[in-house]
Amino acid sequence: MSMSTTPTVEVEVEEDGSISKSAAVLACGAMAVFYVAVLYAPTGLLRMSTPVSRDHYFIRRFVCAALSTALSVAATFYLLTLGELQGLSAMLRVFGLRTDHLCQAVLIPLSLTSLIYLGSFFCKLHAHSSSHNGLIPCVKQLPQGLARCARNVMAWRNYFVAPITEEVVFRACMIPLLLCAGFSTTLIIFLCPMFFSLAHLNHFIELYYQGRHSFSRALLVVGFQLCYTVVFGWYAAFLFIRTGTLIAPIVAHIFCNYMGLPSFHASHMRGLETIAFLAGVVGFFTLLFPATRPNLYNHRITGCNCWQAYCILYQ
């Protein structure tokens, strides 16, 4: 029979409850396009209404992002017939929404992700300590910095709205669809970022039309950003599949947004910064698999390719 995803897209679901590969890919693509399209709803509405402040504009975008995320969750719930699962907890676990192993889900991925930024961290620490005549004054100013972030709408976008909504749509919704369609976990890790990168194509529009950059410069900047988002998408999908909890990629996403692009070269570093950079890179790739062992984040591990075995519930 046929069903509809959030945007009006026809998909086919197998009789045993699983979803076909073409339908899963189509649904994921539709969710990605819908996520970006809905974000621009405030722009169209503002053209028909009185001007509002920049903060109010982004608040409207936050509401649109929340709406598109909720509709993507509803579409996934419908397509995978999750209503047949017993209890709300079982349904939420499909999306990686769990209350168990919270400490591991936060601390281990955060520590692992911070390794790749070890060189950047030492550079920023050195710069801040130099500009504030030492480390202690820098630490004392941390509460004021957090207070400024709490009042900054861009901070809310970068550290709260974007990480949560993007991870829910592009990991919690899309990965279960692709798993239930029969895609291998390795293929999913490399496939999901393709949809994730679509959600960042709007940056080209912002740079070219609103930022008034030249076409070539906007294309170059966005192309570099897309490469970064694809690499991060691989990592986030890897975390979600390996740990089975949505907290892990959300924490990594927030941290990466805060730190920005890591320093992948040591030409501008000296001494301790260079050692930290090299040690962080080696440590990250050494601990990537051991730190994401599924048994660290789950009470029970099955022989299924995914952590919850929901992809074999109908077999």
Side-chain angles (χ1 to χ4, degrees):
M1 60 181 175
S2 64
M3 297 181 180
S4 297
T5 61
T6 303
T8 307
V9 178
E10 295 296 324
V11 297
E12 293 184 357
V13 178
E14 306 294 333
E15 292 182 358
D16 62 354
S18 62
I19 186 172
S20 68
K21 289 186 177 181
S22 59
V25 171
L26 189 60
C28 291
M31 288 179 185
V33 172
F34 186 69
Y35 183 87
V36 176
V38 169
L39 285 181
Y40 279 90
T43 303
L45 291 174
L46 287 177
R47 291 173 181 172
M48 299 181 292
S49 61
T50 57
V52 297
S53 67
R54 176 172 171 268
D55 287 1
H56 284 105
Y57 169 75
F58 276 102
I59 289 173
R60 291 185 182 185
R61 293 191 70 171
F62 296 166
V63 174
C64 290
L67 174 63
S68 64
T69 300
L71 291 176
S72 293
V73 170
T76 304
F77 184 91
Y78 183 60
L79 290 171
L80 297 183
T81 60
L82 298 182
E84 298 182 15
L85 296 179
Q86 297 296 322
L88 179 62
S89 176
M91 299 176 191
L92 293 178
R93 287 174 72 89
V94 171
F95 297 96
L97 300 174
R98 301 159 37 188
T99 57
D100 60 289
H101 296 82
L102 282 179
C103 289
Q104 296 94 316
V106 172
L107 297 179
I108 298 177
L110 180 61
S111 301
L112 178 65
T113 307
S114 65
L115 289 176
I116 204 67
Y117 285 95
L118 205 55
S120 301
F121 177 75
F122 271 86
C123 286
K124 289 186 177 184
L125 187 63
H126 180 266
H128 281 291
S129 60
S130 298
S131 61
H132 293 89
N133 300 319
L135 181 59
I136 295 179
C138 179
V139 173
K140 287 183 177 179
Q141 291 192 359
L142 184 60
Q144 293 90 331
L146 292 175
R148 286 195 299 270
C149 283
R151 296 190 298 268
N152 188 337
V153 68
M154 296 303 293
W156 279 95
R157 184 190 75 166
N158 295 333
Y159 309 137
F160 184 76
V161 178
I164 292 177
T165 58
E166 289 179 3
E167 293 307 318
V168 170
V169 173
F170 295 95
R171 250 62 72 178
C173 291
M174 293 187 182
I175 288 180
L177 285 171
L178 296 172
L179 278 171
C180 290
F183 288 97
S184 68
T185 54
T186 301
L187 182 59
I188 291 172
I189 289 172
F190 287 97
L191 180 61
C192 265
M194 302 300 106
F195 302 111
F196 185 52
S197 63
L198 290 177
H200 294 78
L201 289 176
N202 61 305
H203 294 168
F204 175 80
I205 300 175
E206 294 175 354
L207 287 174
Y208 183 59
Y209 291 101
Q210 300 175 10
R212 301 190 183 281
H213 288 71
S214 65
F215 181 86
S216 58
R217 177 167 179 77
L219 189 63
L220 180 64
V221 171
V222 172
F224 181 77
Q225 289 178 340
L226 289 182
C227 291
Y228 176 67
T229 57
V230 166
V231 173
F232 175 78
W234 290 339
Y235 178 55
F238 177 86
L239 284 177
F240 186 71
I241 289 177
R242 291 276 291 178
T243 65
T245 174
L246 188 61
I247 294 296
I250 286 178
V251 168
H253 198 148
I254 294 172
F255 183 77
C256 289
N257 279 2
Y258 175 76
M259 293 297 294
L261 288 173
S263 298
F264 287 108
H265 58 85
S267 59
H268 67 288
M269 301 180 186
R270 294 177 299 174
L272 187 60
E273 288 90 348
T274 302
I275 296 174
F277 166 75
L278 296 175
V281 172
V282 172
F284 175 82
F285 286 104
T286 300
L287 297 174
L288 182 59
F289 281 89
T292 57
R293 291 197 312 270
N295 61 353
L296 292 175
Y297 307 89
N298 299 272
H299 292 299
R300 179 176 59 87
I301 304 298
T302 69
C304 183
N305 287 333
C306 62
W307 61 95
Q308 295 297 333
Y310 58 80
C311 61
I312 58 172
L313 285 175
Y314 302 103
Q315 294 181 5

